[in-house]
Amino acid sequence: MHLTSEDIDAIWLTLKLASLVTFLLIIISTPLAWWLARTQSWLKGPINAIVAMPLVLPPTVLGFYLLLFLSPQGAIGSIMSSMGLPALPFSFTGLVIASMLYSLPFVVQPIQNAFLAIGKGPLEAAATLRSSPLNRFFYVAIPLARPGYISAAILGFAHTVGEFGVVLMIGGNIASETRVISIQIYDHVEALEYGQAHTLSLLMVVFAFIVLAFLYGVQKHQKSKAVSGGLL
């Protein structure tokens, strides 16, 4: 069993996609998670539901509607086409957008829960010291929410690596452009190349184990710190 050049390209493309998606989602999810954790607006429920929809929707459904919206005849694609912008379906950029939407709840929810766990006390204490809202956010809320950010980054990255349905629908199967590991495994199985499929699948199993072990280790460490802090 060995990795072909196409396998290596697929691995590299997957890591590139997951890294970019995770980075962008952390930036986008931070203000959204902060608002969801703090607001009392009636919009909180519907927006929470929209954010969580990828958890229950089949990936192919999400990919199908994204394909309709982003195609040159779609609502978004037609606007982009009229502006002379390239089409998003079957491109790496389209793959990034689709992956961001599909992995959104895996990043927003851990950060939102971390903000909720902070409570009002630390922020009110900072306010009594005449700290501005912006300073309270960046120097109090975000540092205290670090465990949530770690979990969000790990889950967002891992979930993007494991995508298949959305990737296939919006990205297709273009070598060095949209063919990620999951698609490459599917191609090997279709071609009855079970040895190659086994090699890549085993890499995915090892990757999943390492990610989950690290995540549980971080959570256990944070719980131990919380208990120690409570005892002190």
Side-chain angles (χ1 to χ4, degrees):
M1 295 186 295
H2 66 281
L3 295 175
T4 65
S5 60
E6 290 185 345
D7 293 339
I8 294 173
D9 286 344
I11 292 172
W12 163 246
L13 184 65
T14 303
L15 295 176
K16 177 183 173 183
L17 174 67
S19 299
L20 181 58
V21 166
T22 303
F23 174 74
L24 293 175
L25 276 180
I26 289 291
I27 294 174
I28 293 171
S29 298
T30 294
L32 177 58
W34 178 251
W35 182 82
L36 288 171
R38 305 278 293 176
T39 187
Q40 298 297 323
S41 171
W42 66 271
L43 289 171
K44 179 178 180 177
I47 292 178
N48 261 325
I50 291 172
V51 169
M53 280 183 72
L55 295 174
V56 295
L57 272 180
T60 48
V61 172
L62 180 60
F64 171 68
Y65 281 111
L66 280 173
L67 189 60
L68 290 183
F69 278 112
L70 298 178
S71 68
Q73 294 77 32
I76 299 174
S78 59
I79 296 174
M80 295 184 63
S81 181
S82 65
M83 297 172 63
L85 298 174
L88 290 175
F90 311 112
S91 69
F92 181 76
T93 304
L95 207 57
V96 170
I97 293 173
S99 298
M100 286 175 63
L101 290 174
Y102 189 49
S103 296
L104 183 65
F106 292 88
V107 177
V108 171
Q109 290 183 355
I111 298 176
Q112 180 183 349
N113 291 335
F115 283 147
L116 286 170
I118 293 172
K120 296 181 179 180
L123 298 172
E124 291 175 349
T128 60
L129 298 174
R130 297 184 180 180
S131 176
S132 68
L134 204 58
N135 283 337
R136 294 199 297 271
F137 177 72
F138 281 107
Y139 296 106
V140 178
I142 287 184
L144 289 176
R146 185 176 61 175
Y149 277 95
I150 294 173
S151 297
I154 294 171
L155 290 173
F157 186 92
H159 190 253
T160 303
V161 167
E163 289 175 12
F164 178 78
V166 169
V167 167
L168 187 61
M169 293 293 288
I170 199 69
N173 188 355
I174 305 172
S176 302
E177 181 71 21
T178 63
R179 187 185 296 164
V180 294
I181 292 178
S182 56
I183 303 297
Q184 184 70 3
I185 293 172
Y186 178 78
D187 283 352
H188 282 315
V189 173
E190 264 200 330
L192 303 180
E193 298 168 348
Y194 295 127
Q196 293 301 124
H198 173 63
T199 300
L200 285 178
S201 297
L202 186 60
L203 285 175
M204 292 290 285
V205 170
V206 172
F207 169 77
F209 175 79
I210 292 173
V211 165
L212 290 173
F214 182 73
L215 180 62
Y216 290 137
V218 169
Q219 290 176 344
K220 182 179 179 180
H221 177 68
Q222 293 300 327
K223 286 180 181 177
S224 298
K225 285 180 63 178
V227 171
S228 299
L231 293 175
L232 292 174

